[in-house]
Amino acid sequence: DHPTALTLRFDFGRLIVHDGVVGVPDITLRGPLAALEALGDLRARTFGPRRDLTVYGLWTHPLMVRRLFRVLSER
């Protein structure tokens, strides 16, 4: 697994995607590439414990993490 980093920055209703880490992120998701790619396959009602992922910022920004997962689970 090779390291990959993206920064999603939300500014006044716009999403800007940066290659790499920009600034100090509020939320960081770390894990194997396959686990990160599988986030798009999740459903909002079936979130279970994901032991292969580490979510930094979960305790300091719980609502933002919840909204992020909701956006990732919608199609």
Side-chain angles (χ1 to χ4, degrees):
D1 215 357
H2 64 285
T4 302
L6 290 175
T7 299
L8 303 178
R9 196 169 96 197
F10 298 91
D11 286 328
F12 305 107
R14 296 182 324 180
L15 170 64
I16 301 169
V17 180
H18 296 279
D19 184 20
V21 178
V22 175
V24 178
D26 293 324
I27 301 170
T28 303
L29 303 175
R30 295 203 52 172
L33 185 58
L36 294 171
E37 289 174 342
L39 287 173
D41 297 332
L42 295 176
R43 297 285 178 254
R45 301 276 185 237
T46 60
F47 286 140
R50 301 282 310 212
R51 301 200 191 285
D52 51 353
L53 287 180
T54 303
V55 181
Y56 297 98
L58 177 62
W59 302 112
T60 55
H61 303 288
L63 293 177
M64 191 181 303
V65 171
R66 180 178 175 200
R67 290 177 185 149
L68 173 64
F69 282 130
R70 184 181 301 161
V71 167
L72 291 173
S73 68
E74 292 179 359
R75 291 185 190 233

